[in-house]
Amino acid sequence: MIKPLGTVLALLVMLQVGCAMVGQNIDEAQTKAIEKNKTTKAQIEQWFGPPTQKSIPTDKPGMPAGLKLEQYTYVYSSSLAGLVNTVKTLVVIFDDKGVVYAHAYAEK
């Protein structure tokens, strides 16, 4: 009787350690569809959902005067047994018209 109870406890501990995900998965193929000066903020939100982090539109140093840029950052992280296995990051910068000014995607 003790052996099955020990097995059940071991399984419960393994499930607790298990896996974890943070953020919404970022589809790499979809990131390749993002086009500078063409893709809109509405399209990005439709494809990837709400961003993990959003900046307030501001003038950025080194950019043309009066150009207000807004940045959306998407982060997805998954882990198994407490070890980070995948981290995906998508950064999209929009101009003051809500059109993609620049973007970058990274996965490790």
Side-chain angles (χ1 to χ4, degrees):
M1 192 84 178
I2 293 175
K3 191 170 187 177
L5 179 58
T7 302
V8 169
L9 288 174
L11 285 172
L12 287 173
V13 168
M14 288 171 54
L15 287 173
Q16 289 292 326
V17 173
C19 64
M21 292 180 286
V22 175
Q24 179 178 325
N25 194 7
I26 300 168
D27 181 0
E28 182 179 3
Q30 191 68 59
T31 68
K32 293 176 182 177
I34 301 171
E35 295 182 57
K36 180 179 178 176
N37 299 322
K38 187 173 181 184
T39 306
T40 66
K41 189 185 302 185
Q43 288 173 299
I44 295 295
E45 291 173 348
Q46 180 182 7
W47 295 342
F48 303 104
T52 308
Q53 185 177 31
K54 182 170 31 173
S55 73
I56 297 171
T58 57
D59 291 321
K60 303 288 184 193
M63 294 292 156
L67 179 63
K68 298 216 182 278
L69 300 176
E70 181 177 15
Q71 179 174 306
Y72 276 19
T73 304
Y74 294 86
V75 178
Y76 170 77
S77 177
S78 67
S79 64
L80 181 62
L83 302 173
V84 175
N85 295 327
T86 303
V87 177
K88 299 178 182 183
T89 305
L90 172 64
V91 176
V92 184
I93 300 173
F94 301 99
D95 63 18
D96 51 357
K97 295 175 185 75
V99 177
V100 172
Y101 181 82
H103 72 283
Y105 172 76
E107 179 177 347
K108 63 177 182 172

